[in-house]
Amino acid sequence: MSHGNILIVEDEEIIRASLKRLLERHGHTISEAGSVHEAELSYTLNDFDLIISDLRLPGSPGTEMINLAGDIPVLIMTSYASLNSAVSTMKLGAVDYIAKPFDHSEMLERVSDILARRPKVDHPSGAQSQNNDVDSDQEGFDGILGQCDAMRLLFRRIKKVAPTHATVLIQGESGTGKELVARSIHSHSTRSNGPMISVNCAAIPETLIESELFGHEKGSFTGATAARTGLIEAASGGTLFLDEIGELPLEAQARLLRVLQEGEIRRIGSVQSQKVDVRLIAATHRNLRQLAANSEFRQDLYYRLKVVELRIPALRERGKDILMLAEKLLDRVCEKLEQESHSYSPEAMAAICQHQWPGNVRELEHAIERAVILCDDNIITPEYLDLDVRVKASLFKVDAQLQHESPAQDGLTLEDYFQRFVLEHQEQMTETELAQKLGISRKTLWERRQKLGIPRKKASAS
């Protein structure tokens, strides 16, 4: 995570103090102010990497921070009831907005994303593409964890498509990380300095979706007491991410097609069209091709969307990634909950490998968080993960499914895991520490060494 010098402008002391503690725990340097006036008097705003400001403040509103900040990115906080106002701030130059009450992990993700993008603002596109390679590492790319072939292919395609203006369709099951991929495409695009507006089409009532996306004029329908800026208009100059686009009503699909074909929108109740410059990224867990064949989704829109199609593999298809993700997510959850380090029992590792994970990475993370909260010691067992266990108590008496797993499935047996863990950590850990981390006795550790032919390192060995 990039660490930054951040200013928080918030008049509610409890929220300000809580946010300050959260960000300081993750290595950021925090300054604070209770109003725009106090921030202007107390600090030189150009000294900051990011300003986080509430929308409603005593005196001048948070939008005034955007004018004062110049090139410094401003993240606006707002209540859900003021979401329309927040969208308007994007047009004024806010880099992003977040609804209160916000989830801590969501705030950290937004801050990390903004700070990661900031150094690239003044670089030409050639320098930006070089940074893409720097951002990738052995465990993943741009905050997305993955080592298997399917994920490495996805990372390569993200880097290729991001600098273009092409429309992207992301296919993947629920919980695979479609929004993370969309944010990565935006942050590595030439539009990274513009807004990214995310809309879950399944979360907005069908009667309101057109008004939300395209906006409306005052009096255009009952309840339209004022003109409203649509989310597509707010995303102009940046990226619009439409999640679960398969749930979009046919009428709204026709309007969206016009945006893609003509680059213009018309608010509900307006006779005038206006130009918009939006890069569209869509995502769905549904089969759009089948929906189009059944006339449940417009075929012309489907072909417009799938200019570039990215598929995120399901977690059960990712082989050795599952245990790597489980380890990384466990570290992340322990840090988030301010708990000391935990480890998995052998049975828990077997259960994680065998579970089908219909909710994918999101389900895995929730299961781990539940386990950390409920477990009585630092060893996580299957019952805390709330997973069915079909393995015997012994570490390596794995059931037939895991024992005879085909190499083509890129699976990782518990013996593989044991061997890898011991070889990687025996130089730094004692036998007691190794056994504790693996959740077994020292005697079992010695027996497994003998069976697998991994001799114990002598203390004097160099």
Side-chain angles (χ1 to χ4, degrees), residues 426-427 455-462:
Q426 64 181 358
E427 298 285 357
R456 179 180 172 183
K457 291 283 184 180
K458 301 292 184 185
S460 58
S462 57

Side-chain angles (χ1 to χ4, degrees), residues 69-80:
D71 293 331
I72 307 303
V74 178
L75 172 63
I76 292 291
M77 299 183 292
T78 179
S79 65
Y80 181 78

Side-chain angles (χ1 to χ4, degrees), residues 4-10 16 19 23 28-36 38-54 65 69 72-75 77:
N5 189 16
I6 301 173
L7 171 64
I8 301 171
V9 186
E10 166 64 73
R16 192 171 70 230
L19 183 55
L23 295 175
H28 302 290
T29 303
I30 305 300
S31 302
E32 49 187 315
S35 67
V36 173
E38 182 184 341
E40 194 177 8
L41 286 178
S42 305
Y43 305 105
T44 303
L45 300 184
N46 283 335
D47 291 343
F48 296 101
D49 300 307
L50 170 65
I51 298 171
I52 303 175
S53 177
D54 192 16
M65 288 304 307
I72 307 303
V74 178
L75 172 63
M77 299 183 292

Side-chain angles (χ1 to χ4, degrees), residues 58-69:
S60 302
T63 49
E64 184 60 26
M65 288 304 307
I66 300 170
N67 299 326
L68 296 172

Side-chain angles (χ1 to χ4, degrees), residues 200-458:
N200 186 332
C201 298
I204 301 175
E206 189 170 328
T207 53
L208 296 178
I209 189 73
E210 288 191 64
S211 172
E212 289 286 327
L213 288 177
F214 303 96
H216 62 252
E217 298 294 348
K218 181 179 179 180
S220 55
F221 56 86
T222 304
T225 55
R228 180 187 180 96
T229 300
L231 295 171
I232 294 176
E233 189 178 340
S236 192
T239 303
L240 176 70
F241 174 53
L242 295 182
D243 198 3
E244 299 302 349
I245 196 167
E247 310 302 324
L248 199 63
L250 290 170
E251 295 81 0
Q253 290 179 30
R255 283 178 172 268
L256 183 61
L257 185 64
R258 182 173 181 84
V259 174
L260 293 175
Q261 288 176 333
E262 310 294 339
E264 61 183 29
I265 63 164
R266 183 166 56 85
R267 291 184 179 183
I268 297 173
S270 173
V271 295
Q272 297 292 329
S273 295
Q274 57 190 96
K275 288 290 183 182
V276 287
D277 174 24
V278 171
R279 197 252 185 98
L280 180 65
I281 301 175
T284 182
H285 73 283
R286 304 183 67 183
N287 187 332
L288 286 192
R289 181 192 296 274
Q290 188 62 48
L291 290 178
N294 296 339
S295 301
E296 297 175 51
F297 196 87
R298 291 184 65 108
Q299 284 198 350
D300 46 5
L301 179 58
Y302 169 62
Y303 291 120
R304 276 279 180 174
L305 291 175
K306 69 181 298 284
V307 176
V308 175
E309 192 169 0
L310 301 180
R311 180 182 177 274
I312 308 177
L315 184 55
R316 62 184 171 275
E317 300 169 356
R318 292 177 56 181
K320 297 180 183 180
D321 274 6
I322 295 179
L323 280 179
M324 182 273 289
L325 277 165
E327 290 172 351
K328 295 296 178 184
L329 290 173
L330 181 58
D331 290 341
R332 188 182 299 175
V333 167
C334 289
E335 183 180 357
K336 172 185 170 183
L337 297 177
E338 298 181 337
Q339 298 266 10
E340 59 185 63
S341 180
H342 287 55
S343 59
Y344 298 107
S345 73
E347 293 80 11
M349 290 186 288
I352 288 170
C353 288
Q354 294 174 49
H355 187 61
Q356 289 299 295
W357 300 110
N360 293 289
V361 181
R362 185 186 294 121
E363 181 190 357
L364 174 61
E365 185 169 16
H366 289 170
I368 292 169
E369 186 167 355
R370 175 185 186 278
V372 171
I373 291 170
L374 295 180
C375 76
D376 297 322
D377 51 30
N378 295 342
I379 304 295
I380 292 175
T381 53
E383 58 267 26
Y384 294 126
L385 291 164
D386 198 23
L387 300 178
D388 291 332
V389 186
R390 299 190 309 279
V391 292
K392 298 179 182 179
S394 171
L395 173 57
F396 298 101
K397 289 182 181 175
V398 189
D399 70 358
Q401 177 188 347
L402 195 60
Q403 194 76 282
H404 298 101
E405 185 173 32
S406 166
Q409 292 178 302
D410 198 24
L412 183 68
T413 67
L414 289 176
E415 290 195 355
D416 293 334
Y417 182 83
F418 177 92
Q419 192 161 3
R420 187 186 74 179
F421 187 88
V422 171
L423 290 174
E424 287 181 358
H425 297 92
Q426 64 181 358
E427 298 285 357
Q428 299 84 28
M429 290 185 181
T430 64
E431 292 297 284
T432 301
E433 289 170 335
L434 279 172
Q436 188 175 23
K437 280 292 183 184
L438 287 165
I440 58 178
S441 68
R442 283 189 53 157
K443 181 175 181 291
T444 304
L445 174 59
W446 180 83
E447 289 172 348
R448 295 318 305 165
R449 278 187 178 279
Q450 300 305 307
K451 180 177 178 181
L452 296 174
I454 311 173
R456 179 180 172 183
K457 291 283 184 180
K458 301 292 184 185

Side-chain angles (χ1 to χ4, degrees), residues 35-252:
S35 67
V36 173
H37 183 64
E38 182 184 341
E40 194 177 8
L41 286 178
S42 305
Y43 305 105
T44 303
L45 300 184
N46 283 335
D47 291 343
F48 296 101
D49 300 307
L50 170 65
I51 298 171
I52 303 175
S53 177
D54 192 16
L55 184 60
R56 300 186 183 279
L57 293 166
S60 302
T63 49
E64 184 60 26
M65 288 304 307
I66 300 170
N67 299 326
L68 296 172
D71 293 331
I72 307 303
V74 178
L75 172 63
I76 292 291
M77 299 183 292
T78 179
S79 65
Y80 181 78
S82 305
L83 215 50
N84 190 38
S85 302
V87 170
S88 300
T89 68
M90 303 292 281
K91 293 187 69 178
L92 295 173
V95 68
D96 205 346
Y97 68 87
I98 187 168
K100 295 193 295 186
F102 49 80
D103 181 75
H104 282 190
S105 59
E106 182 185 8
M107 173 61 81
L108 291 171
E109 184 182 312
R110 298 287 180 90
V111 168
S112 177
D113 184 49
I114 293 167
L115 292 177
R117 297 202 314 251
R118 177 153 170 72
K120 293 183 281 192
V121 171
D122 296 321
H123 290 318
S125 58
Q128 180 177 319
S129 65
Q130 290 175 2
N131 284 340
N132 289 346
D133 293 328
V134 174
D135 288 343
S136 60
D137 56 43
Q138 292 184 343
E139 293 172 349
F141 169 76
D142 209 20
I144 308 169
L145 296 174
Q147 296 174 322
C148 68
D149 290 343
M151 290 302 289
R152 291 187 183 280
L153 175 62
L154 176 66
F155 300 152
R156 289 197 297 271
R157 288 184 172 173
I158 289 173
K159 287 193 282 187
K160 281 189 174 183
V161 74
T164 72
H165 298 289
T167 301
V168 179
L169 177 62
I170 304 170
Q171 297 268 11
E173 293 181 6
S174 178
T176 48
K178 295 188 287 294
E179 185 165 0
L180 284 177
V181 171
R183 288 193 174 276
S184 179
I185 293 170
H186 173 73
S187 66
H188 291 283
S189 74
T190 56
R191 297 168 174 262
S192 61
N193 201 30
M196 175 174 166
I197 303 288
S198 299
V199 184
N200 186 332
C201 298
I204 301 175
E206 189 170 328
T207 53
L208 296 178
I209 189 73
E210 288 191 64
S211 172
E212 289 286 327
L213 288 177
F214 303 96
H216 62 252
E217 298 294 348
K218 181 179 179 180
S220 55
F221 56 86
T222 304
T225 55
R228 180 187 180 96
T229 300
L231 295 171
I232 294 176
E233 189 178 340
S236 192
T239 303
L240 176 70
F241 174 53
L242 295 182
D243 198 3
E244 299 302 349
I245 196 167
E247 310 302 324
L248 199 63
L250 290 170
E251 295 81 0

